[in-house]
Amino acid sequence: MSGPAVQPGTQPGAARPQARPGIARLLLRRPAVVVALAVLAVIVLCAALASVISPYGPEQQDLLHALKGPSASHWLGTGELGLDVFARLVFGGRVTLTVVLIAMVVYLACGVPLGILAGYKGGVFDWLVLKSADVAFAVPSIIVTLAVLAVFSHNETAAMVAFGLLGAPGLARVVRSAAMGVRQELFVRAAITSGLKDGVIILRHVLPRVAGVILVQVSVFAATAVLMETGLGFLGVGTKESSWGSLVGEASRNIGLNPWLLVPSGGIIIVFVLALSTIGDGIRDAAEEAHAAAVVRSPGRRQAPSATQAATAAVTAGQEPTEGALLSVRGLTVTLPMAGRATVTVRDVTFDVMPGEAVGIVGESGCGKSITASALFGMLPGGGRVTAGRVFFDGQDLTKASPAALRAIRGARVGWISQDPISSLDPVYTAGAQVAQVVRLHTGCSRKEAKRRALELFALVRLPDPARVAKSYPHQLSGGMAQRVGIAAALAAKPDIIIADEPTTALDVTVQAEILDLLRDLRAGGTAILLITHNWGLLADLCSRAVVMYAGEVVEESPITPIVRDPAHPYTQALLRSDPHRGRRGQPLPSLEGTVPAPPDWPVGCHFQGRCPLAAAACRTAAVPLVAVAPGRFSRCLLAGQATTVVQAAPAGTGGQDGG
Amino acid sequence: MRQILVRWAVSAIPVLFIVSLLTFLLTALIPGDPGRTILGQTADPDKVAAMNEALGVNRPLPVRYWDWLKGAVTGDLGDSITSSVSVSGQVGDRLAVTLSLIAGAFIVTGLVGVTCGVFSALKGGWLGRLIDGTAMLGMAIPVYWFALVLSMVFAVKLRLFPAIGYTPFSQSPGKWFMGLVLPVMALGLSCAAPVAKQTRNGVLSELGRDYVRALRARGFAERTIIVKHVLRNAAAPIITVLGIVVVGMFGGSVLIENVFAMPGLGGLAVSAAAGQDITTMQGVAVVFTVFVIVVNLVIEVLYALVNPKVRTR
């Protein structure tokens, strides 16, 4: 597979994308890369066929028309002594491109074998590559080429061989890390174990895999080599033949007489280098795309999404908040960009949290629990939008609030505890400094006061030795300590509600229990909690009410005791059955077959139909509404809720009854 | 901090030694005989022999290298073989020119690169694409060509700045500054692209991290998050790129000094190369290597300062 219309022998940096056929095809699908390849091909062809296409020779003088702009007889004008600029470009291209090609050959011949040996064999080669790279990076390459030219006067070939040698350790270093990666892969380890010769493995398995990396490096190197060669020509120490660089030198000497000369002389270099770097970027992007495609393609086939998306778009919205509720969510619907288009990921979510109440949202991964929590206070990731529904916080509709108003509520009245405690702390500040920053932001107190308050908060969340923790950086803390720091930051402004997104998932079991105790104490102290979890045990310990979510929808909402004892929705039943904490000793734990459908694949009708043992024809025809199955209990199931009347809207006025 | 210094010395001293040895070995490659090269083909053979004796080229290479090395560590880089001027003296005279140029260019690169990178990452849209496109073009434009264009527009046409030359600071700070504007801009702007690219990628990847989300959840304003947290975290790789860029600037200064006829080290290197003045070339190469090694140390220290994981290890 070679680029279109290129001459393999004479084309420096021509990407012959042999890395993988997939990459080659991806590469040629990029218009910029195709244009760049064509430009390179044209320039190389012109240089190769210089004597055919140029009407003048490179030394042919026209003294009457020296230093003139473009004309019919001299397309790109003339330089000193009336030498034709076009002729000098095409003939000069030969000189420039030849030495650049020489440099590239040296670069590849030294860098690739050394890099592969270092990565594949290690040992002496590894040491050699790293040390020579140290030396090569310590000297500006133009100084080295000048030193070579001081010895071999005007011998540009020698200078560019030196330039290639100087670049080779850099290439070797990159190839080395790529080869090390390949060596760790299973198929290569298998090939080694099965006794295949090293040479065969390198040629057949390692080389093709590092080819993409090499091509990227070569295109970058070719670009710098062109800049170096023309630089030497410009300085007047390069070859004595006419080259692209010497033309720039001439332009600089005659800048007052004929500034036009700058345009063709610099233009050809810029176009050539730009084409090379476009190809380099293209190869890199194409390799990434091929990799990403390989990852994305694996999980199953997709259903046609558009109809289901449209069918689920209609939601119940616009209800009033529950009287006295701290948080009243009504028909919340969220879209996120997926595969380039806005996709509904959370649909028609309705629930309440009363002051001081703890409510848990439960469900498998990918059901929209975290997205729901993020949407409440304007924390959706990039491109996410609340497209319907309302969020009332203390009576104020947050979906209409300005970003500044939302920011004023976040941290001050709503605390957030995240899933991954260590990575949720900024690695460059100490734990104490980070909590003090939050204190200062919300109270405006002095630095000293904020520091004192941070220590108090650390004591409050029962951190052992608060003073030492305050001086520690996140990477010096354990997960449990980091989570306590995170809770301290969430409590800094004495919030009314804490949103805890899987607060114990990343922690050890003993630490989990301690964090749970802490959350329970907070609740006892009057702070409301919205817990997001997949752990029924945690939910039952902490919360008085559960909201079960499946594939973007609330499928059941109920006080905790009845839902655990007698779940109404088939999904809740399945979820509870498969909860390891409820398993009977000696009996196999029933598992929930299948996976949660991704938002674009939501079926028409009940989202759970694909995994539901009770699914009937009616479940597949229209969206299922959330209905009351008992006082304060709601379920989104046609079959489990048969005895009850359908309430279109959610639990307005009833949600609070179970609160407490 | 002491660890960093020790680690640096362990790697820097061998590098310096190897570079000096390699450049010295180049002398052994000089075709023909140096005395004749200097005095010309028609010179009296006796005089050529005397010259070779004076240059010491008849002695074995290791002895000559040892002599040179003894001088070099005390700051004596020998005499030019073509003009018998002291190399150290020449380097000393020209140091200020090159360092003024590079210091100025470094400031321009840092400011322009980081600002453009942040804007490109945060704004996206047409402004982001414009910055990205300019950065790509910036990497393709030869630095000397860019300098020529600046010189033509701002010196030749508009006459705002001098087109050539350098005025020492001690002579006239105003003229020193005006003379440096164009060279500094040419070198600084043409080196800004990689810094902008790293800043952009760094800021974008930091923005996706959990701690940024946590800071938003704690109510911090976006501006505070960017300035105090995201940039601070993105700084370490930007500093690494700045280090690479400075090394490139030493190379670029050779070309820029030529465009603006500045009497700096780059000019010395070019005239030494053109005049086959090996000892001067050697001296300049060693001085440049020392610069690079010192820059590497500064980079390591800065890197440790912004990165507590290195500092508290």
Side-chain angles (χ1 to χ4, degrees), chain A residues 47-81:
Chain A
L49 303 174
S51 39
V52 181
I53 58 165
S54 170
Y56 303 91
E59 313 285 340
Q60 204 171 330
Q61 303 182 356
D62 184 354
L63 294 172
L64 291 177
H65 298 102
L67 293 168
K68 287 284 178 328
S71 65
S73 50
H74 298 284
W75 305 332
L76 293 177
T78 55
E80 289 166 2
L81 306 173

Side-chain angles (χ1 to χ4, degrees), chain A residues 356-409:
Chain A
E357 184 191 25
V359 174
I361 303 182
V362 65
E364 290 167 278
S365 303
C367 285
K369 307 182 301 276
S370 289
I371 300 286
T372 303
S374 306
L376 300 178
F377 297 93
M379 293 268 302
L380 280 172
R385 247 161 35 85
V386 173
T387 48
R390 297 191 174 182
V391 176
F392 295 98
F393 180 69
D394 213 2
Q396 184 192 359
D397 184 358
L398 297 185
T399 57
K400 295 192 173 64
S402 68
L406 281 171
R407 206 162 56 224
I409 292 174

